[in-house]
Amino acid sequence: EVSQYANVITKNASFEDSIEIQCLLIRSLEIMRKNQEVMETALSAFHRVEFEIPGIPKLCFSYLEGGFRGANPSVVTERMSKVEDLASQCKIDELINHGQRSFETSKRGILKILDSMTLAGIRLQSPYLPFIVCESVSYALKQQCISVESVCPFSFYCHLLIWLQENYTKRR
């Protein structure tokens, strides 16, 4: 019932005006472990504002579960190296300062949605998880909005770096 009302609001309002409702809807789906619906709802919301996640075909809901499995490791590594280049431009002190200041509600909302997508992607073992994580980290770095909502994507990004590069000492 709540999701029906939320869907009506999100379909009839702009993304910016409905970001809080979308976050509540997606978080409630996440709590109910409706991971497929989390992914579909989030991708649909992002598609409305042309916020595409590189590596995920537009409106590819049928691929999110079953069917296509596994992303090409070289494509994932290439995307991750772009994120690493972006991160290398930031200083640790700057990142810590970003985490201690407030920022726009819409940016925080996007981070909340990306966080929910990361958790749903982990639970679904989605082949798109590396792309979701890379986009989450890139968005947080570019917008200078590091927050509690970006902890899970950052953690998983580090896990992917260690796993793909098998360089355990460098990543500490």
Side-chain angles (χ1 to χ4, degrees), residues 94-129:
E94 290 175 358
L95 293 175
I96 291 170
N97 288 336
H98 295 319
Q100 295 174 347
R101 65 180 177 81
S102 61
F103 44 89
E104 296 171 32
T105 304
S106 62
K107 289 180 182 179
R108 185 174 298 278
I110 289 171
L111 286 174
K112 286 179 183 178
I113 293 171
L114 288 166
D115 180 57
S116 292
M117 288 181 74
T118 300
L119 293 172
I122 291 168
R123 291 179 187 134
L124 288 171
Q125 299 177 0
S126 171
Y128 300 113
L129 181 60

Side-chain angles (χ1 to χ4, degrees), residues 76-164:
V76 173
T77 304
E78 179 184 320
R79 181 73 184 119
M80 291 182 77
S81 69
K82 290 179 183 177
V83 176
E84 194 165 1
D85 290 345
L86 183 63
S88 69
Q89 296 171 12
C90 301
K91 295 182 174 118
I92 294 292
D93 295 342
E94 290 175 358
L95 293 175
I96 291 170
N97 288 336
H98 295 319
Q100 295 174 347
R101 65 180 177 81
S102 61
F103 44 89
E104 296 171 32
T105 304
S106 62
K107 289 180 182 179
R108 185 174 298 278
I110 289 171
L111 286 174
K112 286 179 183 178
I113 293 171
L114 288 166
D115 180 57
S116 292
M117 288 181 74
T118 300
L119 293 172
I122 291 168
R123 291 179 187 134
L124 288 171
Q125 299 177 0
S126 171
Y128 300 113
L129 181 60
F131 301 109
I132 295 166
V133 167
C134 286
E135 191 59 30
S136 299
V137 172
S138 291
Y139 181 81
L141 292 171
K142 287 176 187 174
Q143 299 298 319
Q144 300 178 341
C145 53
I146 311 298
S147 71
V148 69
E149 289 85 4
S150 56
V151 169
C152 184
F154 270 91
S155 298
F156 202 82
Y157 175 79
C158 291
H159 172 78
L160 283 174
L161 277 176
I162 291 168
W163 181 69
L164 285 173

